Amino acid sequence: MALATFCRRMTSSRSLNRQTSSNAVSDDERAAPRHTTLRRIDMNRDAMPDTGSKLSTRLLNREIGILAFNERVLAQAEDPAIALLERLRYLTIVSNNLDELFEVRVAELKELMRVDPETQLDSGPVADALRMVSERAGRLVTRQYELLNKTLTPALAEQGIVILLSSNWNDAQRQWAERVFVDEIEPLLTPIALDPAHPFPRILNKSLNFVIELEGIDAFGRPADIAILQAPRTLPRVIRVPREIAGAPHGVMLLTSIVGGFVERLFPGMVIESVNQFRVTRNSELFVDEEEVTDLRQALHSELSQRQYGDEVRLEVSRAIDDRMLKRLLREFDLTPIDCYRVDGPVNLVRLQQVIDLVDRPDLKFPSFEPGLPATLAGRNLFDAIRRQDVLLHHPYESFMPVMDFLRSAATDPKVVAIKQTIYRTGADSVLMEALVAAARAGKEVTVVLELMARFDEEANINWAQRLEEVGAHVVYGVVGHKTHAKLTLLLRREDGALRRYAHLGTGNYHPRTARIYEDFGMFTADPDICTDVNEVFRRLTGAGHAVPLRRLLQAPFTLAEHVMQAIRVEADIARAGRRAYIAAKVNALLEPKLIEALYEASQAGVKIDLIVRGVCALRPGVPGLSDNIRVRSVIGRFLEHSRIYHFHADGANEVWLASADWMGRNFFRRVEVAFPVRDRRLKARVLSEGIAVHLRDNSSAWVMDSAGGYTRRKPRGQRVVISQKALLAKLAAK
């Protein structure tokens, strides 16, 4: 990316945030100005006005926080009490998370470093951040491979699940592997020997490659030196081995082993000095300049093809590679030693997820369960139940099926005349999207606000946009420069000669598969005020004009941040008056500097604050004189904690909000987000019990954060064991 473009992007981002911060407190909720770009440097220092250099000592580093979260996930893989194949899954999840960390966060830090090596982040110099990431990520990767090689692989073998490496093949296994190589693999391979006529090939992002050191003279009289072999993505990375060949109930071979075992067949007559895997991670952010865009979907589609060739940010190589060869690769990719990670095994552990899929051993996985159904819906018509009262669903403990039924009714219920929905992530094959397609085909009025810039889901969303438009649905892409992250559905039904609105609002995506593994809340309502607000949000997203004040909902980038800040200030005032003051929040990330400062001030005023932050938290809890009254914990378990809950005691009024927004600058000011109140006392009690209190009681899967950013796992120590997710399964799942 050109330096001028990058600098313009940074300037635009800072300008936008200054203006939206002001608009957040305006009475008429004026629409925020648009970005000049779609891709932004998402540094939290841009989110709110600078509150002084003191922040550098009060805020923890974001990237280190992400790595700390992955250390907690890896601890799940290290836990012998967890089912064996699930431990392997946790191991692969860490690798997948690290890929995204480097593709996005580290890539952005490197861009900042290239533009200005003296750049200061909230937590310190950008150069220090890159060095700390390298050191901590290196330790984490070492832990991963030690766990795989010394613990998980032997434990799997004891259970009859064998990963057959070429160094341990017997004659029958070698003969079988050779047949596979000759018949299925070799025809797809294209080795490239490097010389003036064969330059170093372009390497795809996160692809499997081999660097091969050769010796000898080839058929043209050329001295051989180095060859590069790229493994096509059409080849499976994990290959099932017949039981009689494996000598075990479940045997697999890795593509890396088979290629490495027979690579000499690709270079007849040459001496193979060494064969080493390598993998390059590239900057995967997309950049589309709005000033040059007339068709966002087409521009984004064109940009997607270049994602595989972004700037290099990380090199993973076999541990056995010699220094000369490693230096050659680093030079080729313009990387330094701190960007290199030597590994003792396959360079892409994510591929080991295929082992879990290939092995049918339910006893080595989490027990299956059937999601429950709220009593208010049991045996009742969905719309009758919603008219009677708001309906709360807590996924995955409770079924996502009512949400799917709600959408399917748009196509099958003759009383339904229109449906509007926001889509952020939904997957390449989604029954919910098929329901929208069916509704449009049935002649219903269908409007979809589809976020094209949902990272790594762009292609799937582009494809859905095309399908929806083909059947006559209205498809818009939200507001350029503000990702539409709100989770909203509005359904209009003609009843007794009049139109009645029904809404679903949630904290998670409309994605049936992730609804089985992500913890989220969703609420159905026919409340006229909320439904009117939801309709107004859609009007803002699809139309133009000034924003009409909302009755019940809070919306970013307009009112959400200011309301949260004001609620924190109110609790501080209550504490100063000598009355009980309390704040509890559950979010995925806490990074916004000004909000953190407000929490510090509330703590100093005497407000008791409990924060359940699954991932990265920049706030320092428990610092004497600063944050004595703040406790932070992270819950890591079978399900990904994903819901966002804001609770303010409010002098006994107990304000409870469910939201799509984390406490980050991007969510407050650069996304369209919605927070909705839980007003029914019974449902409010449920949210506080199931979303907050149970996690505060957890003494087995909760990690408590200290003021330096370290985490310690809670232990029962003679108490009754409380694992929050197991408790919720027992309470809510079908019996």
Side-chain angles (χ1 to χ4, degrees), residues 153-219:
T153 299
L156 288 167
E158 289 179 4
Q159 294 293 331
I161 305 168
V162 181
I163 300 175
L164 299 163
L165 302 178
S166 57
S167 57
N168 298 321
W169 287 340
N170 59 33
D171 290 342
Q173 291 163 356
R174 180 169 294 279
Q175 291 172 10
W176 184 86
E178 187 171 16
R179 287 197 302 273
V180 170
F181 180 82
V182 171
D183 295 341
E184 304 293 337
I185 298 174
E186 185 177 7
L188 297 176
L189 299 180
T190 304
I192 299 176
L194 303 185
D195 62 28
H198 302 98
F200 203 98
R202 296 181 76 186
I203 302 298
L204 291 171
N205 182 39
K206 298 187 298 184
S207 61
L208 173 62
N209 307 274
F210 299 85
V211 57
I212 303 149
E213 190 173 12
L214 303 169
E215 184 177 315
I217 304 297
D218 75 359

Side-chain angles (χ1 to χ4, degrees), residues 116-373:
D116 181 6
E118 303 302 318
T119 298
Q120 292 289 318
L121 310 177
D122 288 329
S123 56
V126 64
D128 287 355
L130 285 168
R131 175 184 51 78
M132 289 190 298
V133 167
S134 175
E135 292 173 356
R136 191 139 175 184
R139 293 196 297 270
L140 179 59
V141 169
T142 297
R143 274 178 62 189
Q144 280 187 281
Y145 282 88
E146 286 182 352
L147 177 64
L148 175 66
N149 295 325
K150 296 180 180 179
T151 303
L152 296 185
T153 299
L156 288 167
E158 289 179 4
Q159 294 293 331
I161 305 168
V162 181
I163 300 175
L164 299 163
L165 302 178
S166 57
S167 57
N168 298 321
W169 287 340
N170 59 33
D171 290 342
Q173 291 163 356
R174 180 169 294 279
Q175 291 172 10
W176 184 86
E178 187 171 16
R179 287 197 302 273
V180 170
F181 180 82
V182 171
D183 295 341
E184 304 293 337
I185 298 174
E186 185 177 7
L188 297 176
L189 299 180
T190 304
I192 299 176
L194 303 185
D195 62 28
H198 302 98
F200 203 98
R202 296 181 76 186
I203 302 298
L204 291 171
N205 182 39
K206 298 187 298 184
S207 61
L208 173 62
N209 307 274
F210 299 85
V211 57
I212 303 149
E213 190 173 12
L214 303 169
E215 184 177 315
I217 304 297
D218 75 359
F220 293 94
R222 299 172 299 182
D225 182 19
I226 296 173
I228 301 297
L229 179 63
Q230 303 182 68
R233 286 184 164 162
T234 54
L235 290 173
R237 269 39 179 181
V238 177
I239 301 167
R240 189 198 297 271
V241 179
R243 180 171 185 154
E244 62 275 14
I245 299 296
H250 304 280
V252 298
M253 288 186 185
L254 305 181
L255 178 65
T256 54
S257 289
I258 298 179
V259 171
F262 301 101
V263 72
E264 73 276 359
R265 293 180 62 97
L266 302 174
F267 305 95
M270 310 300 287
V271 175
I272 307 295
E273 295 287 341
S274 67
V275 180
N276 289 283
Q277 313 164 52
F278 72 92
R279 181 173 181 254
V280 175
T281 308
R282 297 180 178 276
N283 185 334
S284 292
E285 283 284 71
L286 301 179
F287 177 71
V288 181
D289 194 335
E290 186 186 359
E291 296 173 355
E292 302 175 3
V293 169
T294 56
D295 184 334
L296 175 59
R297 193 172 79 192
Q298 182 58 45
L300 184 59
H301 189 270
S302 299
E303 182 74 7
L304 278 171
S305 63
Q306 296 303 310
R307 169 175 272 168
Q308 301 292 349
Y309 299 108
D311 292 340
E312 301 90 341
V313 295
R314 176 181 60 167
L315 174 66
E316 296 165 282
V317 296
S318 302
R319 183 173 298 279
I321 193 169
D322 65 40
D323 291 341
R324 183 183 73 88
M325 191 65 67
L326 178 58
K327 288 178 181 178
R328 172 69 186 270
L329 291 177
L330 289 172
R331 185 171 64 252
E332 193 66 45
F333 298 121
D334 194 23
L335 294 172
T336 67
I338 74 165
D339 304 314
C340 179
Y341 297 82
R342 294 191 183 212
V343 301
D344 188 13
V347 289
N348 186 1
L349 294 182
V350 177
R351 297 293 192 172
L352 294 181
Q353 289 180 354
Q354 296 172 37
V355 175
I356 304 168
D357 298 333
L358 289 173
V359 175
D360 185 19
R361 286 288 302 272
D363 58 313
L364 299 181
K365 301 178 182 180
F366 286 129
S368 61
F369 72 96
E370 193 64 31
L373 195 67

Side-chain angles (χ1 to χ4, degrees), residues 15-149:
S15 174
L16 171 72
N17 289 311
R18 283 195 296 270
Q19 295 173 63
T20 53
S21 180
S22 173
N23 284 344
V25 299
S26 64
D27 292 332
D28 61 356
E29 297 188 6
R30 292 185 298 274
R34 291 151 64 98
H35 264 303
T36 57
T37 60
L38 297 183
R39 176 171 171 251
R40 298 165 296 280
I41 290 295
D42 185 22
M43 304 307 297
N44 54 45
R45 68 193 178 100
D46 290 333
M48 285 188 171
D50 184 18
T51 56
S53 59
K54 61 181 181 179
L55 285 183
S56 63
T57 62
R58 297 187 177 207
L59 299 180
L60 296 166
N61 178 272
R62 177 176 184 173
E63 288 70 37
I64 296 303
I66 294 172
L67 288 167
F69 165 68
N70 282 286
E71 289 166 356
R72 299 194 293 280
V73 176
L74 186 58
Q76 298 290 104
E78 294 169 332
D79 188 348
I82 293 175
L84 183 57
L85 287 175
E86 301 297 347
R87 295 174 67 187
L88 180 61
R89 194 189 308 276
Y90 281 120
L91 183 79
T92 66
I93 288 171
V94 171
S95 288
N96 191 66
N97 291 345
L98 287 178
D99 284 351
E100 185 166 344
L101 170 67
F102 280 91
E103 288 177 283
V104 180
R105 296 299 312 157
V106 174
E108 290 180 353
L109 293 180
K110 281 180 164 288
E111 285 189 13
L112 286 170
M113 186 73 177
R114 279 193 289 269
V115 171
D116 181 6
E118 303 302 318
T119 298
Q120 292 289 318
L121 310 177
D122 288 329
S123 56
V126 64
D128 287 355
L130 285 168
R131 175 184 51 78
M132 289 190 298
V133 167
S134 175
E135 292 173 356
R136 191 139 175 184
R139 293 196 297 270
L140 179 59
V141 169
T142 297
R143 274 178 62 189
Q144 280 187 281
Y145 282 88
E146 286 182 352
L147 177 64
L148 175 66
N149 295 325

Side-chain angles (χ1 to χ4, degrees), residues 427-461:
D429 54 339
S430 168
V431 294
L432 295 186
M433 298 300 285
E434 294 291 355
L436 292 175
V437 170
R441 282 179 175 154
K444 308 298 175 71
E445 192 75 9
V446 176
T447 302
V448 179
V449 181
L450 198 152
E451 179 50 67
L452 292 183
M453 297 294 289
R455 186 181 293 135
F456 302 124
D457 279 79
E458 299 95 345
E459 186 171 3
N461 288 358

Side-chain angles (χ1 to χ4, degrees), residues 382-526:
L382 181 60
F383 296 104
D384 291 343
I386 299 172
R387 280 197 306 273
R388 187 177 294 109
Q389 62 186 14
D390 292 348
V391 177
L392 187 74
L393 294 172
H394 193 181
H395 313 300
Y397 313 105
E398 293 181 310
S399 177
F400 195 69
M401 191 60 67
V403 180
M404 292 192 281
D405 291 342
F406 187 67
L407 287 164
R408 287 175 180 143
S409 68
T412 59
D413 186 340
K415 294 183 178 181
V416 173
V417 296
I419 185 169
K420 300 179 181 182
Q421 188 174 27
T422 60
I423 293 294
Y424 191 73
R425 299 190 195 280
T426 191
D429 54 339
S430 168
V431 294
L432 295 186
M433 298 300 285
E434 294 291 355
L436 292 175
V437 170
R441 282 179 175 154
K444 308 298 175 71
E445 192 75 9
V446 176
T447 302
V448 179
V449 181
L450 198 152
E451 179 50 67
L452 292 183
M453 297 294 289
R455 186 181 293 135
F456 302 124
D457 279 79
E458 299 95 345
E459 186 171 3
N461 288 358
I462 287 173
N463 292 337
W464 281 119
Q466 183 173 342
R467 280 203 61 193
L468 287 164
E469 287 177 344
E470 287 172 351
V471 295
H474 304 294
V475 180
V476 298
Y477 309 131
V479 181
V480 171
H482 291 74
K483 286 186 179 181
T484 301
H485 194 246
K487 324 297 183 183
L488 304 171
T489 302
L490 185 67
L491 196 148
L492 276 74
R493 204 165 180 258
R494 191 173 297 281
E495 300 173 357
D496 301 323
L499 288 177
R500 180 185 288 270
R501 292 176 175 139
Y502 297 85
H504 175 270
L505 306 93
T507 67
N509 296 306
Y510 290 107
H511 199 311
R513 287 194 303 280
T514 60
R516 294 280 299 188
I517 55 176
Y518 283 26
E519 178 274 337
D520 275 301
F521 281 99
M523 188 176 79
F524 290 112
T525 185

